[in-house]
Amino acid sequence: MLPWNDRAGNLSVLKLIVFLGILAPGAWIALQAATGSLGAKPITAAIHQSGDWSLRLLLVALLVTPLRFIADWPKLIAVRRMVGVAAAAYALVHLLFYVVEQAYDLQKVASEILLRFYLTIGFVGVVGLLVLAATSTDAMIRRLGSTAWNRLHLLTYPLTFIAIWHFFLQTKIDVSQPALMLGFFVWLMGFRLMRRRGIAPRPLQLAGLALISGIATALLEALWYATMTGVMASRILLANLDIAFGVRPALWVVLAGLALALVSLVRLRARRDAPAPRRATAGAR
């Protein structure tokens, strides 16, 4: 079955848009490579871009479940598998570009993975994502059984954390991007915790989650700088209150969370304002 078709074999506009969307980053990397605009170290740039997109797509795959509830968009679940498999594909490309950078010396690649911790956890993450992608088919779901399959795919959460950790470790100085990804991950896990505890994801609750996630992002970013670079945590925390040098990750997390709260509010009001269905008359058939 073509990836842009639904289960009945008909064209799904949603799946087609998502399919083109997940191809776009790869096409952009290829275009940059063809035009020589990847910089002085094109392979290194391709490694970073493919890895970044793998993590972004992982977070998008985790966003599908919250968004289908917040926006009351059940059909969105149809693209979650596609996005997750794409994240695994970009992770594999990320690893292959690293092999190219090492001049296809597999012995050196293996030794580097074993000796450098950030490469070790990155490799574990890639292998884990490939296992999940390989078991994402309907046939594998039937073979494993829904219970075992769901338990296996809970590994998506620690694998996403591993990818973010790898991102932090391989970033030299400015960890704004990995901190932003960590903040989004905190929100995504917070949403799931809310639902597990029976808390309805209503606008007020989502706004609270946005604020909590933003505070957590600021604290975790400050902790990273304090422990890994020696920069005083208070300086990083105060930087979140000054946008003169740009918006910090914590504020982006808050704004994104509040945007979703606004979506929830609009959806609830639209539902309240919708006309009630007419009752059938006594003689209706």
Side-chain angles (χ1 to χ4, degrees):
M1 185 174 67
L2 296 173
W4 49 80
N5 286 347
D6 58 23
R7 290 186 177 275
N10 300 317
L11 174 66
S12 167
V13 175
L14 173 62
K15 295 185 75 172
L16 177 60
I17 292 173
V18 172
F19 181 72
L20 294 175
I22 61 180
L23 287 181
W28 173 239
I29 295 172
L31 179 61
Q32 290 178 90
T35 57
S37 56
L38 277 173
K41 296 182 177 180
I43 299 301
T44 301
I47 291 172
H48 291 162
Q49 289 191 35
S50 56
D52 292 350
W53 278 107
S54 176
L55 177 53
R56 289 166 186 162
L57 288 171
L58 265 177
L59 293 173
V60 170
L62 291 179
L63 178 61
V64 167
T65 295
L67 193 56
R68 65 188 285 246
F69 287 110
I70 293 170
D72 193 17
W73 194 1
K75 290 184 178 180
L76 201 60
I77 197 68
V79 302
R80 184 173 61 183
R81 184 189 307 184
M82 184 192 303
V83 177
V85 170
Y90 277 101
L92 177 60
V93 171
H94 177 66
L95 176 60
L96 293 177
F97 275 134
Y98 179 70
V99 174
V100 173
E101 186 182 50
Q102 300 303 319
Y104 303 97
D105 187 341
L106 297 183
Q107 184 175 355
K108 182 179 179 182
V109 169
S111 65
E112 289 289 295
I113 289 173
L114 290 173
L115 294 175
R116 297 180 185 272
F117 180 68
Y118 82 95
L119 292 177
T120 304
I121 62 170
F123 181 74
V124 169
V126 172
V127 172
L129 289 176
L130 292 176
V131 169
L132 296 187
T135 57
S136 291
T137 63
D138 291 339
M140 286 302 300
I141 295 174
R142 289 192 296 269
R143 181 177 299 179
L144 294 173
S146 60
T147 301
W149 187 87
N150 284 322
R151 287 176 180 172
L152 175 64
H153 281 253
L154 287 176
L155 290 175
T156 304
Y157 305 142
L159 288 173
T160 303
F161 178 76
I162 285 174
I164 295 171
W165 191 8
H166 170 74
F167 196 2
F168 267 101
L169 291 173
Q170 67 89 36
T171 303
K172 297 294 189 293
I173 301 174
D174 184 5
V175 296
S176 296
Q177 282 298 308
L180 180 63
M181 299 299 106
L182 179 59
F184 289 151
F185 182 68
V186 169
W187 186 95
L188 290 164
M189 294 299 99
F191 180 90
R192 285 164 168 80
L193 182 60
M194 283 174 54
R195 283 187 53 80
R196 178 164 291 188
R197 294 195 172 183
I199 301 174
R202 295 184 176 276
L204 185 60
Q205 286 76 12
L206 291 173
L209 177 60
L211 293 175
I212 292 171
S213 300
I215 293 170
T217 303
L219 291 173
L220 291 169
E221 183 188 23
L223 179 62
W224 175 268
Y225 276 111
T227 56
M228 301 302 291
T229 68
V231 176
M232 292 180 62
S234 58
R235 292 180 59 186
I236 303 301
L237 290 173
L238 289 174
N240 286 279
L241 304 177
D242 185 2
I243 61 172
F245 299 101
V247 179
R248 300 299 303 167
L251 184 54
W252 281 120
V253 171
V254 172
L255 291 174
L258 291 178
L260 289 170
L262 180 60
V263 170
S264 176
L265 178 62
V266 170
R267 186 63 187 172
L268 283 176
R269 288 190 173 181
R271 190 181 302 168
R272 289 172 186 169
D273 296 339
R278 295 180 180 180
R279 294 184 178 180
T281 60
R285 292 291 185 264

